[in-house]
Amino acid sequence: PTAGQQPAPQAAAQQPQADAQPQPGAAVEQKRDMAQSFRQCVETLSHAEREYYKFLWLQSGGDGNTLQGKAAFDFLSKSHLPRDILKRIWDLADWQKR
């Protein structure tokens, strides 16, 4: 359609839906991508950095590979980072939105 015209009903029906549900394999793909990205990041760390982050993980109260919500909140709050930065960290870390 030209400027000011409404799209024809067929064209409107063919436009992608904003709230379309992700494909079933999308979560698996996203998890795989994040794991690969994490491994690449870890590979760039020095030995001292790895040991320091292991120490922090032990201090955080993490169990295995996860850090539950309350423990994560308590640990990150100790950083005294501004609230907006903590929110960004939380949003990145909580990629499954739990």
Side-chain angles (χ1 to χ4, degrees):
T2 59
Q5 289 183 336
Q6 294 294 326
Q10 304 94 336
Q14 294 172 357
Q15 293 177 355
Q17 298 294 324
D19 356 303
Q21 295 296 320
Q23 297 297 320
V28 172
E29 182 75 21
Q30 182 181 19
K31 188 173 183 178
R32 187 179 312 119
D33 290 347
M34 289 194 71
Q36 181 180 0
S37 179
F38 178 76
R39 281 190 297 275
Q40 289 172 341
C41 180
V42 169
E43 289 171 1
T44 66
L45 298 174
S46 70
H47 178 73
E49 289 170 320
R50 287 182 191 196
E51 291 302 312
Y52 178 66
Y53 288 122
K54 284 180 188 177
F55 169 78
L56 289 178
W57 180 254
L58 293 173
Q59 297 300 306
S60 72
D63 56 355
N65 294 323
T66 61
L67 185 59
Q68 299 302 316
K70 174 79 168 102
F73 176 82
D74 292 344
F75 181 73
L76 291 173
S77 295
K78 292 176 186 177
S79 70
H80 301 291
L81 289 168
R83 193 174 197 88
D84 61 322
I85 299 296
L86 289 174
K87 182 181 179 341
R88 287 175 41 200
I89 292 169
W90 186 272
D91 289 344
L92 290 169
D94 187 26
W95 61 274
Q96 292 180 317
K97 305 299 178 218
R98 292 189 277 167

